Short mmCIF file of all heavy atoms in Angstrom, two decimals:
data_model
loop_
_atom_site.label_atom_id
_atom_site.label_comp_id
_atom_site.label_asym_id
_atom_site.label_seq_id
_atom_site.Cartn_x
_atom_site.Cartn_y
_atom_site.Cartn_z
N ASN A 425 68.16 73.62 124.11
CA ASN A 425 68.99 72.67 123.36
C ASN A 425 68.56 72.59 121.90
O ASN A 425 68.47 71.50 121.31
CB ASN A 425 68.92 71.28 123.99
CG ASN A 425 69.72 71.17 125.27
OD1 ASN A 425 70.24 72.16 125.80
ND2 ASN A 425 69.83 69.96 125.80
N THR A 426 68.31 73.73 121.30
CA THR A 426 67.72 73.77 119.97
C THR A 426 68.46 74.74 119.07
O THR A 426 68.85 75.83 119.50
CB THR A 426 66.24 74.18 120.04
OG1 THR A 426 65.53 73.25 120.87
CG2 THR A 426 65.61 74.18 118.66
N VAL A 427 68.66 74.32 117.83
CA VAL A 427 69.19 75.18 116.80
C VAL A 427 68.12 75.33 115.71
O VAL A 427 67.38 74.38 115.44
CB VAL A 427 70.52 74.64 116.23
CG1 VAL A 427 70.33 73.29 115.56
CG2 VAL A 427 71.15 75.64 115.27
N TYR A 428 68.05 76.50 115.11
CA TYR A 428 67.03 76.81 114.13
C TYR A 428 67.67 77.23 112.81
O TYR A 428 68.79 77.73 112.77
CB TYR A 428 66.14 77.96 114.60
CG TYR A 428 65.48 77.73 115.93
CD1 TYR A 428 66.05 78.22 117.10
CD2 TYR A 428 64.28 77.03 116.02
CE1 TYR A 428 65.44 78.02 118.33
CE2 TYR A 428 63.67 76.83 117.24
CZ TYR A 428 64.25 77.32 118.39
OH TYR A 428 63.65 77.12 119.61
N LEU A 429 66.92 77.04 111.75
CA LEU A 429 67.28 77.60 110.46
C LEU A 429 66.04 78.27 109.89
O LEU A 429 65.10 77.59 109.48
CB LEU A 429 67.80 76.53 109.49
CG LEU A 429 68.32 77.06 108.16
CD1 LEU A 429 69.60 77.88 108.37
CD2 LEU A 429 68.57 75.94 107.16
N GLN A 430 66.03 79.59 109.92
CA GLN A 430 64.95 80.35 109.32
C GLN A 430 65.27 80.55 107.85
O GLN A 430 66.31 81.12 107.51
CB GLN A 430 64.81 81.71 110.01
CG GLN A 430 63.73 82.60 109.41
CD GLN A 430 62.34 82.05 109.60
OE1 GLN A 430 61.98 81.64 110.69
NE2 GLN A 430 61.56 82.01 108.53
N MET A 431 64.39 80.09 106.98
CA MET A 431 64.60 80.12 105.54
C MET A 431 63.54 81.01 104.92
O MET A 431 62.34 80.70 104.98
CB MET A 431 64.55 78.72 104.94
CG MET A 431 65.53 77.75 105.59
SD MET A 431 65.55 76.13 104.76
CE MET A 431 63.89 75.56 105.15
N ASN A 432 63.97 82.10 104.32
CA ASN A 432 63.08 83.04 103.66
C ASN A 432 63.41 83.11 102.17
O ASN A 432 64.48 82.70 101.74
CB ASN A 432 63.21 84.43 104.28
CG ASN A 432 62.84 84.48 105.73
OD1 ASN A 432 61.93 83.78 106.18
ND2 ASN A 432 63.53 85.33 106.50
N SER A 433 62.48 83.65 101.41
CA SER A 433 62.68 83.82 99.96
C SER A 433 63.15 82.54 99.31
O SER A 433 64.11 82.52 98.53
CB SER A 433 63.66 84.96 99.69
OG SER A 433 63.21 86.17 100.25
N LEU A 434 62.48 81.46 99.61
CA LEU A 434 62.91 80.15 99.15
C LEU A 434 62.81 80.03 97.63
O LEU A 434 61.89 80.56 97.01
CB LEU A 434 62.10 79.06 99.82
CG LEU A 434 62.53 78.77 101.26
CD1 LEU A 434 61.43 78.06 102.02
CD2 LEU A 434 63.81 77.93 101.27
N LYS A 435 63.77 79.31 97.08
CA LYS A 435 63.87 79.07 95.65
C LYS A 435 63.79 77.58 95.37
O LYS A 435 64.12 76.77 96.23
CB LYS A 435 65.20 79.61 95.11
CG LYS A 435 65.46 81.07 95.41
CD LYS A 435 66.86 81.46 94.95
CE LYS A 435 67.16 82.92 95.24
NZ LYS A 435 68.53 83.29 94.82
N PRO A 436 63.38 77.19 94.17
CA PRO A 436 63.34 75.77 93.84
C PRO A 436 64.67 75.06 94.07
O PRO A 436 64.69 73.89 94.47
CB PRO A 436 62.94 75.75 92.36
CG PRO A 436 62.12 76.99 92.21
CD PRO A 436 62.78 78.01 93.10
N GLU A 437 65.78 75.75 93.84
CA GLU A 437 67.08 75.14 94.04
C GLU A 437 67.43 74.91 95.50
O GLU A 437 68.45 74.29 95.80
CB GLU A 437 68.19 75.96 93.35
CG GLU A 437 68.17 77.43 93.71
CD GLU A 437 67.46 78.29 92.67
OE1 GLU A 437 66.36 77.90 92.21
OE2 GLU A 437 68.01 79.35 92.31
N ASP A 438 66.61 75.41 96.42
CA ASP A 438 66.78 75.10 97.83
C ASP A 438 66.22 73.73 98.20
O ASP A 438 66.40 73.27 99.33
CB ASP A 438 66.11 76.16 98.71
CG ASP A 438 66.75 77.53 98.56
OD1 ASP A 438 68.00 77.61 98.50
OD2 ASP A 438 66.01 78.53 98.53
N THR A 439 65.52 73.10 97.28
CA THR A 439 64.94 71.79 97.54
C THR A 439 66.04 70.78 97.87
O THR A 439 66.99 70.60 97.10
CB THR A 439 64.14 71.31 96.32
OG1 THR A 439 63.03 72.19 96.11
CG2 THR A 439 63.62 69.89 96.54
N ALA A 440 65.91 70.13 99.02
CA ALA A 440 66.92 69.19 99.49
C ALA A 440 66.45 68.58 100.79
O ALA A 440 65.47 69.02 101.39
CB ALA A 440 68.27 69.90 99.71
N VAL A 441 67.18 67.56 101.23
CA VAL A 441 67.06 67.08 102.59
C VAL A 441 68.02 67.90 103.44
O VAL A 441 69.21 68.01 103.12
CB VAL A 441 67.37 65.59 102.72
CG1 VAL A 441 67.29 65.14 104.18
CG2 VAL A 441 66.42 64.77 101.86
N TYR A 442 67.51 68.48 104.51
CA TYR A 442 68.30 69.32 105.39
C TYR A 442 68.65 68.55 106.65
O TYR A 442 67.79 67.95 107.30
CB TYR A 442 67.53 70.60 105.74
CG TYR A 442 67.54 71.60 104.61
CD1 TYR A 442 66.79 71.38 103.46
CD2 TYR A 442 68.30 72.76 104.69
CE1 TYR A 442 66.81 72.28 102.42
CE2 TYR A 442 68.31 73.67 103.64
CZ TYR A 442 67.57 73.42 102.51
OH TYR A 442 67.58 74.33 101.47
N TYR A 443 69.93 68.58 107.00
CA TYR A 443 70.46 67.84 108.14
C TYR A 443 71.05 68.78 109.16
O TYR A 443 71.82 69.68 108.82
CB TYR A 443 71.56 66.87 107.70
CG TYR A 443 71.11 65.80 106.75
CD1 TYR A 443 71.20 65.98 105.37
CD2 TYR A 443 70.62 64.58 107.22
CE1 TYR A 443 70.80 64.99 104.49
CE2 TYR A 443 70.21 63.59 106.36
CZ TYR A 443 70.30 63.80 104.99
OH TYR A 443 69.91 62.81 104.12
N CYS A 444 70.74 68.54 110.41
CA CYS A 444 71.34 69.23 111.52
C CYS A 444 72.56 68.46 111.99
O CYS A 444 72.59 67.23 111.94
CB CYS A 444 70.31 69.33 112.66
SG CYS A 444 70.89 70.14 114.15
N SER A 445 73.58 69.16 112.44
CA SER A 445 74.76 68.51 112.98
C SER A 445 75.30 69.26 114.19
O SER A 445 75.08 70.46 114.34
CB SER A 445 75.85 68.36 111.93
OG SER A 445 76.55 69.58 111.73
N ALA A 446 76.01 68.53 115.02
CA ALA A 446 76.75 69.09 116.15
C ALA A 446 78.21 68.74 115.98
O ALA A 446 78.54 67.60 115.64
CB ALA A 446 76.22 68.55 117.47
N GLY A 447 79.10 69.70 116.19
CA GLY A 447 80.50 69.42 116.00
C GLY A 447 81.37 70.52 116.57
O GLY A 447 81.07 71.09 117.62
N ARG A 448 82.43 70.79 115.85
CA ARG A 448 83.39 71.80 116.31
C ARG A 448 84.14 72.37 115.14
O ARG A 448 84.16 71.80 114.05
CB ARG A 448 84.36 71.18 117.32
CG ARG A 448 85.26 70.12 116.72
CD ARG A 448 86.15 69.47 117.79
NE ARG A 448 87.03 70.43 118.43
CZ ARG A 448 88.24 70.77 117.98
NH1 ARG A 448 88.71 70.23 116.86
NH2 ARG A 448 88.97 71.65 118.65
N PHE A 449 84.80 73.47 115.39
CA PHE A 449 85.73 74.05 114.42
C PHE A 449 87.14 73.60 114.76
O PHE A 449 87.53 73.58 115.92
CB PHE A 449 85.65 75.57 114.44
CG PHE A 449 84.35 76.12 113.98
CD1 PHE A 449 83.39 76.53 114.90
CD2 PHE A 449 84.07 76.21 112.63
CE1 PHE A 449 82.19 77.04 114.46
CE2 PHE A 449 82.86 76.72 112.18
CZ PHE A 449 81.91 77.13 113.10
N ASP A 450 87.90 73.23 113.73
CA ASP A 450 89.28 72.85 113.96
C ASP A 450 90.16 74.09 114.10
O ASP A 450 89.67 75.23 114.09
CB ASP A 450 89.78 71.90 112.87
CG ASP A 450 89.88 72.53 111.49
OD1 ASP A 450 89.87 73.77 111.38
OD2 ASP A 450 89.99 71.77 110.51
N ILE A 451 91.46 73.86 114.20
CA ILE A 451 92.36 74.96 114.51
C ILE A 451 92.44 76.00 113.40
O ILE A 451 92.77 77.17 113.65
CB ILE A 451 93.77 74.41 114.84
CG1 ILE A 451 94.61 75.47 115.53
CG2 ILE A 451 94.43 73.86 113.58
CD1 ILE A 451 95.87 74.91 116.16
N VAL A 452 92.08 75.61 112.17
CA VAL A 452 92.08 76.56 111.06
C VAL A 452 90.68 77.05 110.72
O VAL A 452 90.49 77.71 109.70
CB VAL A 452 92.77 75.96 109.81
CG1 VAL A 452 94.23 75.68 110.10
CG2 VAL A 452 92.07 74.71 109.33
N GLY A 453 89.71 76.71 111.55
CA GLY A 453 88.38 77.25 111.39
C GLY A 453 87.43 76.44 110.53
O GLY A 453 86.35 76.93 110.19
N LYS A 454 87.80 75.22 110.18
CA LYS A 454 86.92 74.37 109.37
C LYS A 454 85.98 73.60 110.28
O LYS A 454 86.41 72.96 111.23
CB LYS A 454 87.75 73.40 108.53
CG LYS A 454 86.92 72.51 107.64
CD LYS A 454 87.79 71.57 106.83
CE LYS A 454 86.96 70.65 105.96
NZ LYS A 454 87.80 69.71 105.19
N TYR A 455 84.70 73.63 109.94
CA TYR A 455 83.70 72.91 110.73
C TYR A 455 83.76 71.42 110.44
O TYR A 455 83.84 71.00 109.28
CB TYR A 455 82.29 73.42 110.42
CG TYR A 455 81.23 72.67 111.19
CD1 TYR A 455 80.96 72.98 112.52
CD2 TYR A 455 80.53 71.64 110.60
CE1 TYR A 455 80.02 72.28 113.23
CE2 TYR A 455 79.57 70.93 111.31
CZ TYR A 455 79.33 71.26 112.63
OH TYR A 455 78.38 70.57 113.34
N SER A 456 83.71 70.63 111.50
CA SER A 456 83.66 69.18 111.39
C SER A 456 82.50 68.66 112.22
O SER A 456 82.40 68.97 113.40
CB SER A 456 84.96 68.54 111.87
OG SER A 456 86.05 68.89 111.04
N ALA A 457 81.65 67.87 111.60
CA ALA A 457 80.49 67.32 112.27
C ALA A 457 80.85 66.07 113.05
O ALA A 457 81.59 65.21 112.55
CB ALA A 457 79.39 66.99 111.27
N ASN A 458 80.34 65.95 114.25
CA ASN A 458 80.49 64.75 115.06
C ASN A 458 79.21 63.95 115.17
O ASN A 458 79.25 62.72 115.33
CB ASN A 458 80.98 65.10 116.46
CG ASN A 458 82.35 65.73 116.47
OD1 ASN A 458 82.52 66.87 116.90
ND2 ASN A 458 83.35 65.00 115.99
N TYR A 459 78.08 64.62 115.09
CA TYR A 459 76.78 63.98 115.22
C TYR A 459 75.84 64.54 114.16
O TYR A 459 75.95 65.71 113.77
CB TYR A 459 76.18 64.21 116.61
CG TYR A 459 77.07 63.74 117.73
CD1 TYR A 459 77.90 64.63 118.39
CD2 TYR A 459 77.06 62.41 118.13
CE1 TYR A 459 78.73 64.20 119.42
CE2 TYR A 459 77.88 61.97 119.15
CZ TYR A 459 78.71 62.87 119.79
OH TYR A 459 79.52 62.43 120.81
#
C-alpha cells in the first residue's frame, strides 16, 4: 500500500513541501485528488 518518489539530481528549485495523494483520472485524463 505504498507509493514512492525517487528523486535524483536534485536542484535547489526542487525545494518544496511534497504531498502524496490518492485519486483518479477523469474521462479526459486529468488527475483529480480525493485524499
Side-chain angles (χ1 to χ4, degrees):
N425 285 7
T426 302
V427 63
Y428 304 95
L429 186 67
Q430 178 66 48
M431 304 185 294
N432 299 325
S433 301
L434 283 160
K435 304 175 180 179
E437 51 262 45
D438 295 319
T439 296
V441 178
Y442 283 72
Y443 298 92
C444 179
S445 78
R448 65 184 299 273
F449 294 100
D450 67 16
I451 195 167
V452 296
K454 182 180 179 181
Y455 178 81
S456 295
N458 296 119
Y459 304 96

